[in-house]
Amino acid sequence: MVNEGHKDNEFKILLVDNMIVAEEKDELKVKLKEIFGYSQFRGNQEVVIRNILSGKNTFVIMPTGAGKSLCYQLPAMIKDGLAIVISPLIALMKNQVDQLNAYGINARFLNSTLSKGEITRLKKECVTGAVKLLYVAPESLNKEENIEFLQKVNVSFVAIDEAHCISEWGHDFRPEYRKIKTMIGQLGDMNVIALTATATPKVQLDIQKNLQMEEADVFVSSFNRKNLYYEVRPKKETKKQLIRFLKEHKGKSGIVYCLSRKKVEEIAQLINVNGFKAAPYHAGLDPDVRMKNQDDFLNEETDIIVATIAFGMGIDKPDVRFVIHYDVPKSLEGYYQETGRGGRDGLEGRCLMFYSHNDLSKLEKFNKDKPVQERENARVLLQEMEFYAESPVCRRKQLLHYFGEEYKEENCGSCDNCVHPRERFDGTEFVKMAIEATKQTNERFNITHLVNVIRGTEDEYVKSYGHFDLPIFGKGDQQDADFWKSVIRQTLIYQYLEKDIDNIGVLKISKKGHAFLKKQHPVELARYHDFTTDVEDEESSERAVINSKSYDEKLFEMLKMLRKKVAKEKRLTTLCCISRSFAGRDGYHLPDHER
Ligand code: ADP
Ligand code: ZN
């Protein structure tokens, strides 16, 4: 009885707690509704917001499109004072400030596009407390006059958007981002919230160290974008493949990324000539033209935007149905962020990358004039890209693994490697050899060296370390280097080995790997991707997996027109989405020149 009474008590306390939580929750939700018009928080938004409101340093890692901005915008509205938002791009700032102003929020930006008079007025407004959010680029924050001015303002907290720019191990390093800590240090003891959509575990650590916020609460959302289909195809007859893909997705919104401005122009033209509506976007275009092309895409005057990676940051179009990488991207972070712009409404998004070794060599050449360390970092990022593209393992599993998340399903059902699985084989002995090689070389080497040791290739490193004397040396000489690279990559993905967080490229044995050495269990591996696969084969089988749903095309066109009209009347550029499915496959025709 006593026990039960005790339980009862516990129950009551829980109930009371729940009520308190419920009340607080409601209040926050009321604000959410009042200010932004949303009824629900998404994912981690609410816990993050509560954390910021309770005055703690907070580190938010959320994939693109998950709703990071709200995490600091709502607290900025609730907290007393002015929230400073550090953001890397002027265009991005303007976009956000425009959106916030449309909600009736007094948000402003401080950057080099403002006149002296505008700056003086803005500063006055900030001091009086009228402004709630101030967007600044690190370059502006670095100016003494701005620091002096901000010292006079009641600052609620500092948000650092795109925080991965801090890390030189990431794909988007901005040296001035590394000075942020010193800058905000001059404003006193500030609460800091750092946000990013891409951060490998190494980059995460680097950001926290640099901002001296190792103690911060870290909120990592799952990076899994369930509705995106990932696919890598060999870069062969690419133009033909591209047009065929577009025919299959006619009338849908999509982005085609190319590496150079020249290529952007060429591909945009190719697409137009083939009867689709495409516009180019790159930094070399006249700003007015560039803006118009972007607006046309957002307003659905243009279906397809062909762009360099200059396009996309801060673009919030929910119904992008495909993202094509015509050229190989420079890093998996970039790739993930760019593909992340597809299917933001939760509906279908196809992510197609064309891949060739040739592209990798070109990218490598771009890096040759960079300082040694930067070049080395860029090389490692490219190598990750190569592994990803050529790997037989589920794309989703690999991408998530890259960002430090374990995807447990064996088959995601929504990537080329899962839909067309590679042949599998018993890899137990190979995994063991990979771990052994790591062990015998004292966990201090990268994949290339391990492959050389296993295969018995005597290069200068093997010689200088005397690794030809190791028992494992040459034990795997029956298989080629690509085979071994693939085995070691899979051993990593299945977490028998792990990356050394302090030494880029170096592999170590994980707990699971140690356990495996003591007591083996069967491990299945997949044959690595063979990029000589017949292109036609890939495509015909790919078509079979797209679930074709039919819809009333006339009605759809009418709805689209109506949406355009309403958006124009309301002067909105970002449109909400009409749910739609893949176009009927029945109408599939090959372009004339391919028949
Ligand atoms: P991120 O910066 O993470 O890429 P954004 O902050 O731009 O994403 O948000 C993506 C989209 O989601 C925006 O259109 C935003 O208005 C919308 N959004 C954010 N939070 C919510 C929510 N709680 N409910 C509905 N829509 C939301
Ligand atoms: Zn998969």
Side-chain angles (χ1 to χ4, degrees), residues 113 145 182 197 200 247 277 284 304 308 359 367 382 453 465-466 502 511 526 541 562:
T113 64
E145 74 244 32
T182 321
T200 58
K247 292 220 167 198
K277 281 191 270 179
I304 301 155
T308 56
D359 272 9
N367 295 330
L382 271 184
V453 169
Y465 287 100
D502 291 320
K511 259 193 195 155
S541 46
L562 178 66

Side-chain angles (χ1 to χ4, degrees), residues 394-397 411-415 417-418:
C394 169
R395 306 273 177 212
R396 185 163 266 100
K397 205 181 187 73
N411 188 316
C412 81
S414 194
C415 79
N417 285 341
C418 285

